[in-house]
Amino acid sequence: LSTSRAASAWHRGLALLHGEVLAKDLLEWLAHPLVLANWAAERKQALLALVYTLADRQHSYQKKRVWRSWDDWLKALRALAGADQAPAHADAQMLFEQGKMYARRWQSARTLSAWAHELIEWANSFGLWAALENDAAGQKWCELLRRWQWLENTAQWPLSTALQLMNTAVERLTYRPPSMNVSAAANDAEVTLLPLGNTRLRTFDAVWLLGADASNLPGAEQDLGLLN
């Protein structure tokens, strides 16, 4: 589940709220198919074009300052304001101000129930929640946050700890990617994507370690030349 596009939509967006708002990270997140999924394609493309323009302007100022905060992006946007970009300009200002608001508001600790309400509100603000509910993997995140809403634990946690707890809980969920045009009988051969650490004490019919060199696997024979 942690490898799904739903996970990347969560992680990239939330990273912008408790870290730096660098151009590359902001553009990657806004371009994600689940972000602003409730917007018309033309509207989202116009917003992305404007943010790309702001990012290009940043290159000429990098020797002096790199834009790292929502305030930096808002200042750059005000300097770029033009009548021909009015719709996209208004959208960008709204999104930057929302990002700034959440980044400030989430500096204080909250209970997990309160964080669940906050995260659902944030996801709705950026058109993410409805897209997650229509995504097979995203539904798992939605279900987790709905359960958190009813937790009675009064302990308060900072955002970073709440996200760590969320990631741990999500890793324990079972996610079966939907098969396409495959009969139930033929669907017995299941492929599961897991981090290497989560394969411990589990058995599999076959295992693929992507990018691993057979000579570096545990128990592999090694030719040490004269040291043999």
Side-chain angles (χ1 to χ4, degrees):
L1 186 61
S2 62
T3 63
S4 67
R5 65 175 186 169
S8 64
W10 274 109
H11 293 316
R12 290 177 183 176
L14 294 174
L16 297 171
L17 297 178
H18 64 97
E20 295 181 330
V21 190
L22 300 180
K24 177 178 178 295
D25 299 328
L26 178 60
L27 285 165
E28 284 183 354
W29 185 63
L30 290 176
H32 195 286
L34 297 185
V35 178
L36 304 178
N38 57 335
W39 284 21
E42 297 79 6
R43 183 183 179 188
K44 183 172 179 177
Q45 287 301 320
L47 171 69
L48 286 171
L50 178 57
V51 178
Y52 272 114
T53 300
L54 291 174
D56 287 339
R57 284 172 59 89
Q58 182 181 187
H59 293 310
S60 61
Y61 300 113
Q62 279 188 345
K63 291 183 179 179
K64 298 179 181 179
R65 183 181 183 184
V66 176
W67 301 341
R68 301 179 184 275
S69 69
W70 294 106
D71 273 326
D72 291 339
W73 286 97
L74 283 167
K75 290 176 182 177
L77 183 63
R78 285 192 289 269
L80 187 68
D84 59 332
Q85 297 173 328
H89 182 275
D91 284 339
Q93 182 173 351
M94 174 189 67
L95 292 175
F96 293 167
E97 287 178 346
Q98 284 181 329
K100 176 182 176 181
M101 181 268 293
Y102 283 114
R104 286 185 174 179
R105 198 164 89 186
W106 290 0
Q107 290 179 5
S108 58
R110 288 173 167 78
T111 64
L112 292 181
S113 175
W115 278 123
H117 284 89
E118 289 283 331
L119 291 169
I120 291 173
E121 178 187 313
W122 165 77
N124 275 307
S125 297
F126 289 93
L128 183 58
W129 186 256
L132 288 170
E133 290 193 304
N134 291 324
D135 181 86
Q139 290 169 5
K140 299 293 185 179
W141 296 82
C142 296
E143 292 169 6
L144 174 63
L145 289 176
R146 288 195 186 99
R147 288 199 302 271
W148 275 20
Q149 285 181 299
W150 301 101
L151 290 177
E152 298 181 355
N153 193 323
T154 58
Q156 297 196 349
W157 311 92
L159 176 60
S160 58
T161 303
L163 295 181
Q164 289 175 358
L165 293 172
M166 179 190 297
N167 292 338
T168 300
V170 165
E171 283 295 341
R172 294 173 179 169
L173 299 175
T174 299
Y175 168 58
R176 299 179 184 274
S179 57
M180 300 179 63
N181 300 321
V182 178
S183 65
N187 198 31
D188 292 338
E190 179 180 322
V191 176
T192 304
L193 299 178
L194 291 173
L196 183 59
N198 287 14
T199 62
R200 289 177 297 180
L201 303 180
R202 300 179 62 176
T203 58
F204 302 90
D205 294 328
V207 175
W208 285 267
L209 297 180
L210 304 184
D213 185 342
S215 63
N216 292 324
L217 294 177
E221 295 184 0
Q222 295 185 20
D223 182 4
L224 301 179
L226 296 176
L227 296 180
N228 267 345

